[in-house]
Amino acid sequence: MPRRVLVTGGAGYIGSHCCKALARAGAEVVVYDNLSRGHADAVKWGPLVEGDLRDRVTLEAALRAHRIEAVIHFAALAYVGESVGAPETYYDNNLGGMIALLEAMEAVGVGRIVFSSSCATYGTPAQLPITEDMVQAPINPYGRTKLACEWMLRDAAVAHGIEFAALRYFNAAGADPEGEIGERHDPETHLIPLALMAASGEAGPLRIFGTDYPTPDGTCIRDYIHVDDLAEAHLRALDHLAAGRGSVALNLGTGRGSSVREVIAAVERVTGRPVPVIAEARRAGDPAELTADPSKARETLGFAARYTDLDQIVAHAAPWFGHARALAG
Ligand code: UFG
């Protein structure tokens, strides 16, 4: 494992969980974040350099000052719906950030990067579960920015010899089992937080976006993976690169899908409260079903999700949404 790691977006949801895992594994963690979406109080395991990735001067200074050996790059705008309405903002931030980061790494001589990609790069898959060799044809600007970043990594690998791991997350969920950090988005658009907020009365009824999908109960199916499992996969990806085993692109999911209605049932079991719902029309850009084939991550990194029980994932998220007594087992 590299000892000194720069974590861009380390004040955000997945980034902060990864910082905790890195620190626990003995790495020195430096967070680089412009705090546009992240939270300064989630930076607990190393210094925070407040800066925008497109600010090359600050970025290069941080890489040099902390003698960084590898980068984990989370910092990006990540709302599918928002990206449809403001594509320029997404291209500017997500691609501009990646360009500046690769240039700064090249200038300073940092050669390893783990990148936060997404199953959104596959668009509507031709087959399920999704394997890494399937066509990547994203159906929204957010997914296109993530795919373009993967292309940049591949080109930079050829041009400058950098080594990368592009990790294509399915649906990140849950929170730190010790309760130090959790999921805090503003606005919140994700299913599990909104269902928990509906159960606690913090928010109104949960709107189910589409009940007429060609799935067993008519609602969309997603592969929910615990954020701590994602963090663990990042550590393994760093080890993989440090061992000189070469660049990779890997799906990170559990391999199991849960429907919106199954998630709602899990929230009701965990909280002991009903989730009021309203059936609504489909949300634009939602594929009916997305599940990962996790075999390649297992073969390449020896990684498999530890949290395979949806109730446990929900139980870890619950205390962040007004369910103080929810099981945290
Ligand atoms: N859903 C509802 N009601 C809500 C919110 C969500 O029915 O109020 C449904 C969605 O339609 C979808 C499922 O719950 O079928 C999950 O939705 P989320 O918004 O929680 O997650 P997404 O699958 O849309 O998005 C996630 C990440 C994105 C990533 C995407 C890849 O948040 O960053 O997976 O598909 F791009």
Side-chain angles (χ1 to χ4, degrees):
M1 160 96 63
R3 281 209 310 121
R4 293 178 298 277
V5 182
L6 187 84
V7 181
T8 79
Y13 169 47
I14 307 173
S16 60
H17 286 79
C18 193
C19 288
K20 180 169 180 176
L22 281 165
R24 187 167 272 173
E28 287 173 36
V29 180
V30 178
V31 170
Y32 193 93
D33 201 301
N34 67 7
L35 299 181
S36 71
R37 299 279 158 102
H39 307 275
D41 63 5
V43 181
K44 299 172 191 256
W45 294 279
L48 167 65
V49 179
E50 197 176 331
D52 194 284
L53 278 176
R54 292 159 295 181
D55 171 3
R56 272 279 305 276
V57 175
T58 308
L59 181 56
E60 265 192 49
L63 290 172
R64 284 187 209 281
H66 296 281
R67 294 183 298 126
I68 294 299
E69 294 170 338
V71 172
I72 307 186
H73 177 35
F74 293 100
L77 296 174
Y79 291 117
V80 171
E82 185 180 66
S83 80
V84 175
E88 301 83 357
T89 309
Y90 270 66
Y91 280 92
D92 182 21
N93 188 80
N94 294 1
L95 273 58
M98 181 60 111
I99 291 167
L101 180 57
L102 289 172
E103 286 177 346
M105 287 172 61
E106 159 77 359
V108 176
V110 178
R112 298 194 174 114
I113 177 169
V114 178
F115 171 59
S116 196
S117 188
S118 171
C119 67
T121 59
Y122 294 109
T124 305
Q127 270 165 261
L128 292 164
I130 299 173
T131 53
E132 290 82 351
D133 54 5
M134 283 171 55
V135 172
Q136 287 177 287
I139 55 172
N140 52 59
Y142 165 70
R144 283 188 271 275
T145 66
K146 288 286 174 181
L147 180 55
C149 286
E150 287 199 17
W151 290 340
M152 276 191 226
L153 288 169
R154 277 193 258 158
D155 290 339
V158 172
H160 313 301
I162 66 148
E163 292 176 321
F164 68 87
L167 302 182
R168 300 174 186 155
Y169 316 151
F170 282 66
N171 284 55
D176 174 29
E178 291 165 3
E180 279 189 280
I181 38 178
E183 184 166 9
R184 279 186 287 160
H185 295 115
D186 186 16
E188 188 51 78
T189 62
H190 296 97
L191 177 62
I192 293 175
L194 287 173
L196 286 163
M197 287 158 77
S200 71
E202 249 180 280
L206 178 75
R207 302 183 300 154
I208 300 180
F209 296 136
T211 52
D212 58 350
Y213 282 99
T215 58
D217 68 16
T219 64
C220 283
I221 293 175
R222 294 287 180 274
D223 184 337
Y224 295 91
I225 178 166
H226 197 294
V227 64
D228 265 11
D229 280 328
L230 289 180
E232 166 69 20
H234 286 72
L235 268 57
R236 287 173 183 259
L238 280 179
D239 282 340
H240 171 94
L241 296 178
R245 293 206 289 269
S247 297
V248 281
L250 300 170
N251 289 340
L252 295 182
T254 66
R256 276 172 313 281
S258 304
S259 73
V260 172
R261 287 202 192 279
E262 286 169 337
V263 169
I264 292 167
V267 168
E268 291 183 331
R269 280 192 299 274
V270 168
T271 64
R273 301 177 70 117
V275 175
V277 299
I278 303 175
E280 291 207 357
R282 295 180 180 193
R283 188 172 69 176
D286 274 343
E289 185 166 353
L290 294 172
T291 49
D293 182 334
S295 331
K296 190 175 170 197
R298 191 173 54 238
E299 286 151 19
T300 312
L301 304 179
F303 168 77
R306 272 189 311 141
Y307 294 100
T308 53
D309 175 16
L310 185 59
D311 285 24
Q312 199 176 23
I313 295 176
V314 170
H316 290 167
W320 288 86
F321 299 98
H323 299 281
R325 289 196 309 281
L327 286 176

